[in-house]
Amino acid sequence: MAEQQPAITLEKVCKSFGPNRVLHEVSLTLPAGKIMVMLGPSGTGKSVLLRCLVGLMKPDSGRIFIEGQDITGLDERRSAGREQMFALRRKFGMLFQDGALFDDMCVGDNVAFPLRQHAKLSEREIAARVAEDLERVGLKNAQRKMPAELSGGMRKRVAFARAIALRPKIVLCDEPSSGLDPVMSATLDELILDLHRTLGMTFVVISHDTAEARKIADYVGLLYKGELQAFGLKDEVLRSNQRAINQFFERSTEGPIQVL
Ligand SMILES: Nc1ncnc2c1ncn2[C@@H]1O[C@H](COP(=O)(O)OP(=O)(O)OP(=O)(O)O)[C@@H](O)[C@H]1O
């Protein structure tokens, strides 16, 4: 059997905005079907990294491979590049920090939106997928509700249902637990684990939350000032005794990570 390509490979990815060096020679390999939690203080380039993965930003140098395909040179101004970029984006589901629901659409229509835009499915098939995914996230009775009627945790769960509706290979989650109480955060962590188990997707989770990393991660990364201070299997990274990792996991002010 052919060996499965890693979901994501980064080779010395660099990105600056003028004098602001945001990513510096970031290299990692994430095998398919694993959960990676990328930790790091605010402003250290985690969101920029996500945008580079989906082709919304281009690195200044280095290479990015998604399922073995080099996406670094894709050029949306050319029609072949546009098609490849579209195919690339279809591989990703995205859970934005604020959920980014359409406030004028009910929950069911929010989840159906990507299916209506991009899947060749009948309305009956779309309705079945929407019902299935709302049940997965524990919201099967919320279909006709409007986003304004939902709590923060419910909005995040609707956003999850929308992010997985097209059955992407890789789900990118930008701080899924931000702004949620600890119990709701734990519920979302369980949801990630459940989706991962049942649908086998690869997850990239951006987080400040070490408890979340301990609970759900197969792989952990720590980004600080644009450099990957640590990356690897969670247990190995936690055992590695690196100062930045210890500081982050022990919530200490002592260590190489300084308040920006
Ligand atoms: N389009 C842009 N133009 C200029 N600078 C940018 C742009 N996008 C991000 N930056 C800068 O890149 C740096 C990293 O930002 P990024 O949003 O990736 O941080 P982050 O680690 O995700 O932070 P947080 O945890 O607070 O969301 C910041 O200094 C930010 O100002």
Side-chain angles (χ1 to χ4, degrees):
M1 208 169 76
E3 205 175 309
Q4 197 173 14
Q5 294 280 2
I8 296 168
T9 305
L10 305 180
E11 285 179 5
K12 295 191 170 182
V13 169
C14 297
K15 179 78 189 171
S16 296
F17 298 100
N20 185 7
R21 191 181 77 167
V22 176
L23 298 176
H24 182 64
E25 298 201 345
V26 174
S27 298
L28 61 83
T29 299
L30 178 66
K34 300 293 181 189
I35 301 175
M36 168 170 82
V37 176
M38 184 60 77
L39 296 162
S42 279
T44 47
K46 303 183 298 299
S47 305
V48 168
L49 187 64
L50 282 194
R51 276 179 243 143
C52 287
L53 289 180
V54 292
L56 288 171
M57 263 181 195
K58 283 208 179 303
D60 301 328
S61 60
R63 300 210 297 169
I64 300 177
F65 297 83
I66 303 297
E67 294 189 313
Q69 182 199 359
D70 186 349
I71 65 150
T72 329
L74 290 188
D75 183 353
E76 279 186 276
R77 287 166 304 181
R78 307 164 80 126
S79 73
R82 259 197 306 280
E83 272 170 38
Q84 285 173 317
M85 190 63 87
F86 183 72
L88 170 72
R89 300 224 171 104
R90 277 290 304 267
K91 292 183 180 179
F92 287 99
M94 183 88 193
L95 180 75
F96 296 96
Q97 235 178 79
D98 58 359
L101 298 181
F102 301 114
D103 284 329
D104 56 346
M105 284 184 198
C106 70
V107 163
D109 285 340
N110 262 284
V111 180
F113 187 81
L115 297 166
R116 293 195 175 117
Q117 292 287 308
H118 300 299
K120 292 189 177 71
L121 296 176
S122 67
E123 272 302 309
R124 181 198 286 260
E125 289 167 321
I126 289 174
R129 175 71 61 85
V130 168
E132 179 189 333
D133 285 352
L134 284 175
E135 183 157 7
R136 274 181 203 283
V137 301
L139 289 173
K140 71 173 176 184
N141 296 321
Q143 260 206 56
R144 302 261 61 90
K145 286 196 189 310
M146 298 304 285
E149 299 174 74
L150 307 177
S151 70
M154 289 165 91
R155 291 172 70 94
K156 283 265 169 82
R157 284 186 281 156
V158 175
F160 248 122
R162 191 177 63 185
I164 61 163
L166 284 165
R167 297 294 179 264
K169 298 285 196 58
I170 305 170
V171 184
L172 306 179
C173 308
D174 197 356
E175 297 189 31
S177 52
S178 78
L180 300 179
D181 66 70
V183 175
M184 183 49 75
S185 300
T187 307
L188 279 198
D189 288 343
E190 292 293 339
L191 184 59
I192 292 174
L193 287 171
D194 184 56
L195 294 173
H196 174 254
R197 245 187 327 260
T198 52
L199 299 174
M201 295 160 175
T202 303
F203 278 80
V204 175
V205 179
I206 298 293
S207 182
H208 299 281
D209 184 350
T210 51
E212 182 166 55
R214 282 186 198 279
K215 185 166 176 182
I216 68 172
D218 298 306
Y219 285 76
V220 172
L222 176 63
L223 204 56
Y224 177 53
K225 289 192 172 169
E227 293 192 17
L228 202 52
Q229 307 286 326
F231 176 77
L233 284 164
K234 172 177 64 187
D235 292 343
E236 288 173 10
V237 168
L238 288 177
R239 271 202 307 265
S240 67
N241 232 356
Q242 292 176 59
R243 287 179 69 220
I245 284 284
N246 287 347
Q247 184 188 0
F248 214 75
F249 276 81
E250 286 162 18
R251 299 168 65 105
S252 168
T253 53
E254 304 295 320
I257 299 177
Q258 303 297 314
V259 177
L260 297 174

